[in-house]
Each structure stands twice: as structure tokens, then as C-alpha cells.
């Protein structure tokens, strides 16, 4: 799904982990369209600094679809979306 999304010509602001393989990948694949890459460490997300690991692990434990997720990090991303939009 990501390749299809990145191939659109729509302008995008994309938040990526600094110095990760994703930074170079997105920079390369989005050369055809206006794109701003924002380096932001997962550990620096508001959801990472505001709530404890125990909190997110509990969220994972009560999720009926927890088996489809590799851990509690997905909940941080989902809850950070509004903050990403505000910061964009």
C-alpha cells in the first residue's frame, strides 16, 4: 500500500525515523512530487513521552486484534496522527 501512496503526485509531509532506511527510501521514491521529510525519533513522539510503556502494553493486551500487531507501537502512531497534522 505504501508504494501506491508514495507514487501519487500529491504534496506530502512525511515523518520518518532519523537515519533509518525509510528516510533514504522515501527521499528517493518521492522525487517526482513536492515532499517534505521530517526526521522525528519514535522515542520523541508525544505519545512516547507522555504515556508509559506499561500504559501502551495494557492497550495492546485489551485489543481484540492484538495478534495482527507486532507490539504496542502501532497505538502510539495511531494516537499521534492528530499531533502530526498539527505540526505539519
Amino acid at each position: 500500500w505504501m508504494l501506491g501512496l508514495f507514487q501519487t503526485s500529491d504534496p506530502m509531509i512525511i515523518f520518518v525515523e532519523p537515519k533509518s532506511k525509510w528516510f533514504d527510501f522515501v527521499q528517493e521514491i518521492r522525487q517526482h512530487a513536492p515532499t517534505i521529510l521530517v526526521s522525528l525519533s519514535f522515542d520523541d513522539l508525544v505519545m512516547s513521552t507522555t504515556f508509559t510503556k506499561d500504559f501502551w502494553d495494557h492497550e495492546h493486551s485489551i485489543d481484540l486484534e492484538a495478534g495482527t500487531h507486532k507490539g504496542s507501537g502501532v497505538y502510539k502512531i495511531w494516537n499521534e496522527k492528530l499531533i502530526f497534522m498539527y505540526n505539519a
Side-chain angles (χ1 to χ4, degrees):
W1 66 268
M2 282 179 37
L3 284 177
L5 178 65
F6 289 152
Q7 291 173 354
T8 68
S9 59
D10 300 317
M12 291 186 183
I13 300 172
I14 303 171
F15 293 82
V16 293
E17 185 76 26
K19 299 179 184 175
S20 71
K21 66 179 182 180
W22 295 109
F23 190 92
D24 294 335
F25 172 78
V26 173
Q27 192 171 36
E28 178 70 27
I29 202 165
R30 288 290 301 171
Q31 289 184 5
H32 68 281
T35 305
I36 297 172
L37 289 176
V38 179
S39 291
L40 180 62
S41 172
F42 194 78
D43 291 337
D44 292 334
L45 297 176
V46 171
M47 294 299 144
S48 293
T49 60
T50 302
F51 299 98
T52 66
K53 181 180 181 330
D54 288 341
F55 173 85
W56 293 113
D57 288 345
H58 174 71
E59 292 299 302
H60 189 252
S61 74
I62 63 173
D63 183 358
L64 298 177
E65 297 179 349
T68 62
H69 309 130
K70 293 184 179 183
S72 60
V74 67
Y75 309 111
K76 292 179 185 180
I77 294 295
W78 289 343
N79 285 281
E80 192 84 10
K81 285 182 182 179
L82 185 59
I83 297 164
F84 286 145
M85 296 297 295
Y86 179 80
N87 289 331

